[in-house]
């Protein structure tokens, strides 16, 4: 598990550093793991795309003010969950959205969660659109609103630097240096100048 200090820092730096790490989800005796391939940073004090911009506090946004490493899970369109990890010191509303994953452990279960079929039975379209979006990430990893405000250190949901840290075998295809790209965040055209912030990071 990454140390809490990893999240207790500049959100944009944390968003970039999370790319290439591993998200681990444990429930009902099952362990799922996937490599983080895409993230976005959201910083309340300066970012009109952040739910807590300008210090806004509501029932939905109160988790953003929690200690670093806390899980922030919210609904979009009333049906899809999005997973974020709170960053910066407690009381400073900021978080990193986990936008994309590459499955690494228990692929069949992730496929069942996402498409109700085994991985080998997925169509070409399903393979291409497996976990490439925040709602897809949560569907595949069985993450819902019950995990909102889950504190740092919980064995149910955490991030680690490598699969071995979670007691899982390493993935040979993940060796070598990372090539991380930067771009504008997706789906925030309403956020005025913040729509152009280069706060999206992806492999």
């Amino acid at each position: 598990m990454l140390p809490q200090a990893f999240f207790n820092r500049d959100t944009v730096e944390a968003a970039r550093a999370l790319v290439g790490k591993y998200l681990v989800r444990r429930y009902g005796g099952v362990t799922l793991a996937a490599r983080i391939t895409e993230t976005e940073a959201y910083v309340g004090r300066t970012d009109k795309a952040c739910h807590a911009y300008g210090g806004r506090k509501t029932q939905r946004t109160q988790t953003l003010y929690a200690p670093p490493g806390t899980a922030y899970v919210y609904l979009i369109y009333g049906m899809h969950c999005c997973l974020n990890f709170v960053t910066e010191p407690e009381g400073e509303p900021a978080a990193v959205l986990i936008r994309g994953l590459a499955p690494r452990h228990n692929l069949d279960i992730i496929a069942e969660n996402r498409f109700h079929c085994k991985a080998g039975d997925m169509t070409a379209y399903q393979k291409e659109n497996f976990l490439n979006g925040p709602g897809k990430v949560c569907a595949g990893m069985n993450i819902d609103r019950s995990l909102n405000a889950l504190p740092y250190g919980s064995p149910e949901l955490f991030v680690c630097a490598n699969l071995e840290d979670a007691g899982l075998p390493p993935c040979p295809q993940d060796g070598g240096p990372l090539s991380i790209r930067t771009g504008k965040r997706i789906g925030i055209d309403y956020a005025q100048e913040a729509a152009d912030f280069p706060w999206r990071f992806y492999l």
Side-chain angles (χ1 to χ4, degrees), residues 54-134:
R56 184 169 183 245
K57 287 188 177 182
T58 65
Q59 184 176 4
R60 172 179 170 176
T61 65
Q62 63 184 357
T63 304
L64 280 168
Y65 295 84
T70 300
Y72 173 44
V73 183
Y74 62 86
L75 278 175
I76 54 171
Y77 311 124
M79 57 189 297
H80 301 299
C81 287
C82 294
L83 169 66
N84 304 253
F85 286 101
V86 175
T87 49
E88 307 202 17
E90 183 175 1
E92 186 67 46
V96 174
L97 171 68
I98 306 302
R99 188 171 180 85
L101 298 175
R104 291 294 183 261
H105 185 73
N106 270 331
L107 179 59
D108 277 340
I109 296 177
I110 298 173
E112 288 277 6
N113 290 340
R114 178 83 173 89
F115 295 119
H116 309 291
C117 68
K118 298 294 184 183
D121 296 327
M122 290 194 300
T123 65
Y125 176 84
Q126 288 172 331
K127 291 176 182 177
E128 186 176 350
N129 295 277
F130 195 4
L131 302 175
N132 59 339

Side-chain angles (χ1 to χ4, degrees), residues 136-200:
K136 301 170 188 178
V137 162
C138 287
M141 300 296 280
N142 191 32
I143 294 167
D144 59 23
R145 284 275 298 157
S146 69
L147 298 178
N148 182 50
L150 189 74
Y152 169 82
S154 170
E156 294 178 68
L157 183 69
F158 60 92
V159 180
C160 53
N162 53 66
L163 291 171
E164 296 96 310
D165 288 347
L168 302 173
C171 182
Q173 71 193 82
D174 290 344
L178 296 179
S179 177
I180 300 176
R181 298 186 178 185
T182 302
K184 297 179 183 180
R185 294 170 296 177
I186 296 171
I188 57 163
D189 294 342
Y190 60 87
Q192 299 179 357
E193 74 280 355
D196 293 324
F197 292 174
W199 288 359
R200 173 175 163 251

